[in-house]
Amino acid sequence: MSALLAVAIVATPLITWGGAAILTARAQDEGRAIARRAAPVMAEQAAAQQTRALLQQAWRGAPLGTTLESLARALPPDAALLRAERNAAGMIAIEVAAPDPDRLLAALRRDPVLTGLRATAQARADGDGRMRVTLEQRP
């Protein structure tokens, strides 16, 4: 009888450990299966969230038309707008040809709508004595 009691005392934790190991393996398998089934939904939700963030950035900034109107008022008479665009992330990129980039930048800083524009590049224009200035504004 005491041998049977000793076997029961030793076997009980071993059976409990074995049962726990089986339950853990099943739970891990179920978790992996759920993760596989949820992956497309999670990817779709992440894409939707990224799209919402891009739209929020676009709505937060001033419309490109407002920026262009301010730019038209602020440009010196000898400067010319070459290109203006807003990308999907909401960043505005503008190219202006002007004989004096410093005077151009000073004129743009006077308008509150244009204060976020930063000169990112300068290059000689097509032999007319003007400089091509690239301006960018981050959202």
Side-chain angles (χ1 to χ4, degrees):
M1 180 76 139
S2 65
L4 186 60
L5 182 62
V7 169
I9 290 174
V10 171
T12 301
L14 291 176
I15 292 172
T16 303
W17 176 78
I22 291 170
L23 290 175
T24 301
R26 285 182 186 169
Q28 288 174 343
D29 288 343
E30 284 181 36
R32 284 189 285 272
I34 289 170
R36 278 193 304 273
R37 287 192 309 264
V41 174
M42 298 295 288
E44 184 178 318
Q45 287 177 348
Q49 184 176 2
Q50 183 179 13
T51 301
R52 282 191 296 276
L54 287 174
L55 283 172
Q56 184 180 17
Q57 286 177 349
W59 282 107
R60 214 177 329 149
L64 185 57
T66 303
T67 303
L68 289 176
E69 288 176 17
S70 295
L71 189 63
R73 284 191 300 272
L75 279 179
D78 55 355
L81 178 64
L82 302 175
R83 178 182 65 91
E85 68 180 37
R86 173 176 283 172
N87 67 13
M91 185 180 85
I92 294 174
I94 297 171
E95 281 188 19
V96 178
D100 185 1
D102 294 328
R103 195 173 73 148
L104 168 70
L105 295 174
L108 296 180
R109 279 190 218 110
R110 289 187 208 114
D111 191 313
V113 174
L114 304 174
T115 56
L117 288 173
R118 300 287 177 248
T120 57
Q122 291 184 13
R124 283 264 173 230
D126 299 324
D128 59 357
R130 296 193 296 179
M131 295 288 291
R132 174 175 278 183
V133 181
T134 302
L135 305 160
E136 291 181 353
Q137 182 178 28
R138 305 253 181 235

